[in-house]
Amino acid sequence: MAEERLVKKIHLTRTKRLHTGHLWIFSNEVHESLKLYQPGSLVEVYDMHDEFIGIGYINPNSLIAVRLLTREKKSIDREFLRQRINAAITLRRRLINERDAYRIVYSEGDYLPGLIADRYGNCLVLQFLTYGMEAIKDMVIELFDEMLNPDIIVLKNESRVRVLEGLARYKEIVKGSFEKLPVIREDGLFFEIDPYEGQKTGFFLDQRENRVSLKRYIRAGKGLDLFSYNGAWAMHLASAGAEITCVDSSDRAIAQARRNAALNNLNNRIDFVVEDVFAFLEKELRKGEKRYDFIVLDPPAFVKSAAKLKEAVKAYREINEMSMRLIKQGGALVSSSCSYHMGRELFVDVLNAAAKNARRSLRLIELRSQAPDHPVLLSMPETEYLKCAFLLVD
């Protein structure tokens, strides 16, 4: 990605959103024929009066045709990338102090659209989500290696976003090897992470502050950790004094949750069930209502696209309703959605609808979002995706 590649320009028929700070340009906003451009190549962006707007990379085959990298006329080269990555690393040091697991780069939230970088101790996991970032993959890997010198670098390029970009999905270890899996520490608890075989990059770093904060409210009682993955919520609550059952459909996830319980000497407080969560809840409801003091509900993103929003809303409503029916009077429900297309207002509406169907009342204690190492670009609502509600069920 050198200066000499800046050979083509595009002109935009609409610019209002960009002037408010957004970084995406959609295919129907480009005046020129997109067929003129190579996927992943750099373009200078202008309005219809030939006023400069910025520089980004283009993908003519994607609905998001251009993602802006800068609003200045400068070379998008190795030094540019070094400065951006260094700024992200410096921000993490300021925000999170000395932790061994955190998100180093959060795509548009760090002005590096299409790039995710997570650190787990001596292991670095990178995701290249877009054609433009894939085009400079080797340079980015080299820079991270120079700046952080991790023992292991994993490419976890399995996101469905890559399919939308016209890219293949794959995973690869490009440096080092796993003689044993990394173990990280979170608020005094230990977690084994599997960056290669695990979900996402191996752990859900975005819920960290929410998991830690929940211990202020739940220190005892019997509950469920639904869609538990490797048991992060359960470990925190069990360490605070609760008894909890992890439920997940993945054998691998539950096996890792068991190992995490052993790492923290919490086996006597946590049970494990490998089963589809909807099926598990249906069976629990047949046993009788209001059996649990609390339920943590942290499902995967039911909403993969705006077109699927209606059916996803139905799924969120159903699973929240079933959970509410199982909670004792005055018990707690922690309900999350990691789907951007389900905004805060819609999420609250879904919770209210579920409560009405379950004939329960809800009191909101906190409505939280993603951890600080996932900074939200205020001009881009798309960068805020996580909602986590702490609720009392009456």
Side-chain angles (χ1 to χ4, degrees), residues 12-284:
L12 304 184
T13 57
R14 292 193 294 275
T15 60
K16 182 179 178 181
R17 191 182 63 263
L18 292 180
H19 287 313
T20 62
H22 211 283
L23 302 181
W24 291 353
I25 297 165
F26 293 98
S27 56
N28 62 355
E29 297 172 328
V30 179
H31 175 69
E32 289 83 2
S33 169
L34 290 171
K35 295 178 181 179
L36 299 172
Y37 305 91
Q38 284 293 113
S41 62
L42 291 169
V43 289
E44 290 186 345
V45 181
Y46 294 81
D47 65 17
M48 296 303 288
H49 301 289
D50 218 32
E51 292 292 323
F52 177 78
I53 294 174
I55 299 171
Y57 58 73
I58 192 166
N59 185 352
N61 304 312
S62 173
L63 176 63
I64 304 171
V66 180
R67 299 174 197 250
L68 286 184
L69 291 165
T70 181
R71 296 178 186 276
E72 301 176 63
K73 278 199 174 184
K74 57 168 58 176
S75 298
I76 309 301
D77 53 16
R78 187 184 185 89
E79 183 56 29
F80 173 88
L81 291 170
R82 181 188 297 277
Q83 289 176 12
R84 281 287 164 87
I85 293 170
N86 184 63
I89 293 170
T90 301
L91 178 62
R92 293 335 183 262
R93 289 173 180 154
R94 175 177 153 199
L95 292 177
I96 63 175
N97 301 317
E98 297 299 322
R99 293 184 197 160
D100 58 0
Y102 51 91
R103 176 150 293 182
I104 301 172
V105 172
Y106 174 49
S107 197
E108 283 84 359
D110 287 295
Y111 307 105
L112 284 166
L115 177 63
I116 299 291
D118 288 343
R119 184 172 193 170
Y120 301 110
N122 65 354
C123 176
L124 179 69
V125 186
L126 300 176
Q127 292 182 305
F128 296 90
L129 303 176
T130 57
Y131 231 112
M133 275 297 159
E134 182 77 8
I136 56 169
K137 177 181 67 178
D138 292 343
M139 191 186 304
V140 171
I141 294 169
E142 288 172 9
L143 284 168
F144 271 113
D145 199 17
E146 289 175 12
M147 298 168 79
L148 298 177
N149 191 28
D151 294 338
I152 305 166
I153 300 178
V154 178
L155 305 189
K156 198 70 180 293
N157 291 331
E158 297 180 304
S159 170
R160 65 182 296 273
V161 176
R162 287 178 61 89
V163 177
L164 299 175
E165 286 277 308
L167 294 167
R169 293 198 278 190
Y170 68 96
K171 57 187 177 182
E172 180 183 4
I173 299 173
V174 295
K175 180 184 179 182
S177 61
F178 288 113
E179 295 179 7
K180 61 180 182 178
L181 293 175
V183 174
I184 65 163
R185 186 168 180 149
E186 182 176 274
D187 199 46
L189 295 170
F190 296 98
F191 294 94
E192 178 190 89
I193 307 300
D194 191 343
Y196 192 75
E197 297 291 351
Q199 297 176 27
K200 301 293 184 179
T201 64
F203 200 57
F204 292 99
L205 294 164
D206 51 4
Q207 289 275 27
R208 182 193 187 278
E209 270 66 22
N210 301 334
R211 289 189 289 262
V212 172
S213 293
L214 184 59
K215 291 186 286 190
R216 291 180 293 166
Y217 305 117
I218 298 176
R219 301 185 186 89
K222 180 182 177 182
L224 299 173
D225 180 3
L226 303 179
F227 303 99
S228 62
Y229 184 38
N230 53 16
W233 287 100
M235 302 305 148
H236 281 282
L237 295 177
S239 71
E243 296 180 9
I244 191 162
T245 299
C246 291
V247 184
D248 199 286
S249 61
S250 167
D251 289 285
R252 181 184 291 275
I254 290 296
Q256 193 172 47
R258 287 182 185 275
R259 293 194 294 273
N260 286 331
L263 276 174
N264 294 289
N265 296 313
L266 292 171
N267 308 67
N268 61 331
R269 290 189 174 274
I270 306 176
D271 292 320
F272 303 91
V273 175
V274 179
E275 190 171 2
D276 174 79
V277 171
F278 283 90
F280 174 84
L281 289 175
E282 287 171 359
K283 288 199 298 190
E284 288 296 290

